[in-house]
Amino acid sequence: MKRFFLTTAIDYVNSRPHLGTAYEKVCADVIARYKRLCGFETRFLMGNDEHSQNVFKKASEEGLDPLKYCDQMEQEFRRTWKRLDVSFDDFIRTTEPRHRAGVTEITNRIHAAGDIYEGVYEGWYCVGCEEFKQEKDLVDGNCPLHPTLKPEWIKEKNYFFRLSKYQQPLLDHFAAHPEFLQPDVRRNEILRLIEGGLVDISVSRAGQSWGIPLPFDPESVVYVWFDALINYASAVGLGGDQEMFARWWPADLHVIGKDITRFHAVIWPAMLMSAGLKLPQQIFGHGFMTMNGQRMSKTLGTIVDPIVAADRLGHDPLRLYLVKEVTFGGDGDFSWERYDERYNVDLANNLGNLVNRVTAMAHRYRNGRVVPAGETSSRLRDLPNEVATCYRRAMDAFAIHEAAASVFRLIDATNLHITETAPWTLAKDPASADRLTQVLFDAAEAIRLAAVLLEPIMPSSSREILRRVGVSPDALLFERDGRWRSDGERVLLQEGPLWPRKELTTVSENPLPPGAPGAHPAPAPSTAAPGTAPGTAAPSTPAPGAAPAGGDRISIDDFMKVELRVAKVLAAERVPKSNRLLKLQVDVGTEQRTLVAGIAEAYEPEALIGKTVVVVFNLKPAKLMGVESNGMVLAASPDGGKPTVVSFETPPPPGTRVR
């Protein structure tokens, strides 16, 4: 069986994980789950970096033994990763005996190769990074990553690693393996760094007890960064289980942040070369996660708790946001407003609504059972397998954002397939019975395929979608399940909404004062006559006290009191116990609203979804059959005929004022 060994950076435990930390873990988890979907025996390693002096300091501040403090923090990290459904196979701590064995083994190998020597270090040291800094790395005398922490000038006896010896071997390796470090921007940065010359680095700290003792000088401990890098090998048996080490080493992929590429793409490979061990196959340096344009940082105070974000809308919506909205390898931004918006657009109004529509129509027209009964529609004939091919190509290149986008091409196409084939119309024609069955089968099959492809990104939701379209979610394999299938009966389940819509307000997590740049305009005051029921438009009457202009005509001033806006229908359903009313969810640009319209005799709910209409925006709310309606849909009703909603040939954006 093919194997794949994947790791992430291990985390300092001087504070709880934040969304920037979680981004790396979620993206790595998507890759690990994809590899399992493709039939790989996959080992996904995560862990905690505990020998930091900042960890020792934090434990002291809390009056705890450092190991006891690390035990507590392990539970904090594991709780976060469980909440985000991260499927790691192994979790290593640098205080474990197996890690000490690996550090001892590789340090002895490097020492035996003559690549560790004793000397004195004198220079700047960043407490935040726990890293020695050269003058050229500082910005205005400060560390660029910890600008609020003044670097310390340190002079102490150290042991040094002959990193300079490996300048040419590293350049040769990069030349022979251009895929070794991705994306290209990271590789180019590191190549420039290596070509500029490498200096020997400290591998020990003197006068400290919190750490792994140097095997050839117990008075010194292994420097935290040298120690931490070795976890990838010690976790799979280096210095202990040699059979396991031979089975899993070298790692296929290290997923790390761009700020630590020098350690992973320069120092770590040089250490392995010196120790006579194989280098990892590939390293991927992802970008930073920002919060409203500011880097997420404990030092800067711009932190989002991933558990809070997951609890807001669910862990799968958060996973989708992190994967789909951020180019993997580049920087990405998080805001609560954007998070809520994408939840409604991608899930509540798109994928979730698609599943609800198809399962509801299958039950309404076919008692929940659909089978192939003819030819697949042209829209879905070739696209699904094209999407699956693009998805796999993107995933194999770790362009996970592109893979997610490709699946939503299929979801969008399936929504269009339903609009174009109009099952509600086919259901009225007995001669179209087979066509209706095939239309519903094709929609269910497209949903099945989309759920399989989304499984690495949204594992829990994908399994639930597969259950609803009558397919077992167990033991999925891409070769078997990642292509269009045109056989077999599907028994669909009609249940509640997967992702209830989140009502968007005009007030953000950090509200802007009225009139400030970016603040939403307040709705115009209502001028509707008391008792007017929202719904389809009725003949106009002048407001009380207004004098008609020109007999029964109104003035332009009277007309301008009515605020008409363009709206897009996001969802539609029948109002229970009413033959005439439909409940609509519409996007009016600045917000989403619920309207009740008396057009059920003319329109099936599904036919309205995606349609652009005109609404009276500033009408007072009114309750119809227990549902509060916040506006009126304009429609024309000929004498004795059914209403036709006012629409557009080329729709303007939602919220556009109609004048």
Side-chain angles (χ1 to χ4, degrees):
M1 178 182 281
K2 301 172 291 184
R3 297 189 185 94
F4 193 84
F5 178 29
L6 163 72
T7 76
T8 65
I10 54 176
D11 299 309
Y12 276 156
V13 294
N14 59 317
S15 64
R16 296 180 62 252
H18 58 73
L19 195 61
T21 318
Y23 172 69
E24 174 177 294
K25 274 51 180 179
V26 167
C27 291
D29 185 57
V30 170
I31 296 169
R33 288 179 182 273
Y34 167 70
K35 290 297 181 180
R36 296 185 193 114
L37 182 64
C38 291
F40 283 76
E41 182 184 3
T42 302
R43 188 174 187 86
F44 176 20
L45 172 69
M46 290 170 41
N48 284 349
D49 186 358
E50 299 179 342
H51 283 140
S52 157
Q53 286 304 302
N54 286 328
V55 171
F56 184 85
K57 179 181 177 183
K58 184 69 173 178
S60 299
E61 290 172 355
E62 298 194 8
L64 293 173
D65 172 81
L67 187 57
K68 180 70 174 176
Y69 169 80
C70 292
D71 291 343
Q72 293 180 2
M73 292 305 292
E74 178 191 10
Q75 298 311 309
E76 287 290 325
F77 277 77
R78 283 181 177 270
R79 183 169 72 96
T80 300
W81 307 144
K82 181 179 181 180
R83 182 68 183 90
L84 299 185
D85 204 5
V86 178
S87 63
F88 57 85
D89 301 289
D90 191 6
F91 192 92
I92 190 167
R93 294 172 54 184
T94 55
T95 51
E96 292 181 45
R98 61 171 171 163
H99 181 63
R100 179 182 287 237
V103 171
T104 301
E105 171 77 13
I106 202 168
T107 305
N108 277 332
R109 283 178 176 236
I110 296 173
H111 188 247
D115 287 338
I116 292 180
Y117 64 91
E118 190 174 2
V120 174
Y121 181 84
E122 186 173 8
W124 294 109
Y125 182 80
C126 175
V127 177
C129 295
E130 298 203 53
E131 179 189 353
F132 292 104
K133 299 283 186 179
Q134 296 183 50
E135 194 80 40
K136 65 181 179 65
D137 297 327
L138 302 178
V139 177
D140 296 327
N142 292 326
C143 169
L145 298 179
H146 299 92
T148 62
L149 299 175
K150 195 70 177 174
E152 300 176 1
W153 186 266
I154 288 179
K155 181 178 181 180
E156 65 180 30
K157 183 191 79 170
N158 275 183
Y159 286 89
F160 289 82
F161 170 53
R162 298 185 194 277
L163 182 62
S164 57
K165 173 181 172 181
Y166 292 93
Q167 178 175 352
Q168 193 56 48
L170 285 168
L171 289 172
D172 293 342
H173 185 78
F174 272 84
H177 303 279
E179 77 290 348
F180 177 62
L181 176 59
Q182 290 293 315
D184 290 345
V185 63
R186 309 277 177 263
R187 184 180 70 246
N188 294 337
E189 289 169 355
I190 291 300
L191 280 173
R192 300 295 84 77
L193 186 150
I194 298 171
E195 289 166 353
L198 299 177
V199 296
D200 297 347
I201 60 167
S202 295
V203 298
S204 70
R205 295 298 307 275
Q208 297 179 3
S209 59
W210 183 240
I212 297 174
L214 271 177
F216 45 84
D217 183 355
E219 297 300 314
S220 298
V221 298
V222 178
Y223 177 39
V224 62
W225 271 106
F226 199 83
D227 165 349
L229 289 164
I230 301 167
N231 89 89
Y232 307 123
S234 61
V236 290
L238 178 65
D241 189 338
Q242 291 306 304
E243 183 178 343
M244 181 184 187
F245 188 68
R247 177 183 178 84
W248 287 105
W249 193 258
D252 291 277
L253 179 65
H254 291 325
V255 176
I256 57 160
K258 67 179 183 179
D259 55 331
I260 54 175
T261 49
R262 181 173 71 90
F263 293 97
H264 286 79
V266 179
I267 298 173
W268 178 227
M271 291 166 60
L272 292 168
M273 289 176 178
S274 176
L277 298 171
K278 293 179 180 178
L279 274 59
Q281 297 293 330
Q282 197 166 29
I283 301 164
F284 194 99
H286 63 79
F288 287 145
M289 198 73 186
T290 59
M291 171 67 172
N292 291 324
Q294 269 197 306
R295 183 187 171 203
M296 286 191 187
S297 161
K298 293 185 283 285
T299 306
L300 299 175
T302 51
I303 293 296
V304 174
D305 187 325
I307 291 181
V308 172
D311 287 347
R312 183 184 183 92
L313 299 172
H315 65 270
D316 274 353
L318 177 61
R319 288 171 63 104
L320 179 66
Y321 179 94
L322 295 176
V323 172
K324 185 170 177 283
E325 291 302 301
V326 181
T327 298
F328 193 48
D331 293 339
D333 192 64
F334 179 88
S335 73
W336 294 109
E337 292 86 355
R338 181 68 175 168
Y339 180 32
D340 291 347
E341 176 191 347
R342 295 319 305 175
Y343 167 87
N344 276 342
V345 171
D346 289 334
L347 296 176
N349 299 337
N350 197 354
L351 176 56
N353 195 46
L354 174 64
V355 175
N356 292 343
R357 293 171 75 191
V358 172
T359 54
M361 287 189 290
H363 274 264
R364 184 175 183 182
Y365 303 133
R366 291 294 178 265
N367 295 317
R369 296 176 179 272
V370 295
V371 294
E375 284 193 14
T376 298
S377 73
S378 58
R379 184 169 291 281
L380 293 180
R381 190 170 298 133
D382 301 317
L383 181 64
N385 286 336
E386 177 190 324
V387 164
T389 299
C390 292
Y391 168 91
R392 187 157 199 178
R393 187 185 306 121
M395 279 291 202
D396 287 340
F398 309 129
I400 59 177
H401 55 290
E402 293 182 7
S406 70
V407 182
F408 275 82
R409 282 180 56 207
L410 176 58
I411 294 166
D412 291 341
T414 309
N415 275 312
L416 282 173
H417 158 76
I418 292 172
T419 300
E420 291 170 351
T421 55
W424 47 90
T425 301
L426 295 174
K428 297 174 182 177
D429 180 10
S432 299
D434 285 348
R435 179 62 181 146
L436 172 60
T437 302
Q438 183 67 39
V439 163
L440 295 175
F441 178 87
D442 288 343
E445 171 59 15
I447 291 171
R448 180 203 67 81
L449 178 56
V452 170
L453 300 183
L454 284 174
E455 193 276 337
I457 301 169
M458 305 176 65
S460 301
S461 299
S462 292
R463 289 192 291 270
E464 174 60 18
I465 291 171
L466 289 170
R467 188 184 71 84
R468 292 191 184 197
V469 295
V471 177
S472 171
D474 300 325
L476 297 174
L477 283 175
F478 189 91
E479 290 300 330
R480 181 189 63 220
D481 304 308
R483 295 286 173 178
W484 187 267
R485 297 194 331 217
S486 300
D487 57 340
E489 181 184 64
R490 306 287 165 79
V491 181
L492 279 61
L493 304 176
Q494 183 182 8
E495 299 184 9
L498 285 160
W499 297 284
R501 285 175 200 82
K502 180 176 176 61
E503 293 299 328
L504 300 181
T505 68
T506 58
V507 180
S508 69
E509 299 290 322
N510 299 296
L512 296 169
H520 294 290
S526 172
T527 58
T532 303
T536 48
S540 300
T541 57
D552 59 352
R553 299 186 183 186
I554 63 171
S555 69
I556 188 64
D557 291 336
D558 290 324
F559 174 74
M560 292 305 293
K561 293 176 183 177
V562 180
E563 186 174 348
L564 303 178
R565 284 201 193 184
V566 174
K568 185 174 182 179
V569 180
L570 302 175
E573 60 186 87
R574 293 182 179 275
V575 174
K577 300 180 181 180
S578 173
N579 295 324
R580 192 176 66 86
L581 300 180
L582 293 180
K583 176 184 173 183
L584 308 180
Q585 187 81 12
V586 299
D587 177 4
V588 290
T590 57
E591 59 184 291
Q592 292 179 18
R593 285 192 177 185
T594 299
L595 309 181
V596 177
I599 53 177
E601 294 174 328
Y603 293 93
E604 292 292 335
E606 296 88 353
L608 289 168
I609 296 174
K611 197 174 187 66
T612 300
V613 297
V614 178
V615 300
V616 181
F617 182 75
N618 60 337
L619 202 60
K620 285 183 177 179
K623 277 198 173 182
L624 297 173
M625 300 291 290
V627 181
E628 184 175 275
S629 182
N630 286 276
M632 175 189 291
V633 178
L634 293 190
S637 301
D639 290 340
K642 294 179 179 179
T644 301
V645 297
V646 175
S647 190
F648 302 88
E649 184 175 340
T650 305
T656 302
R657 187 81 181 263
V658 179
R659 301 179 188 274

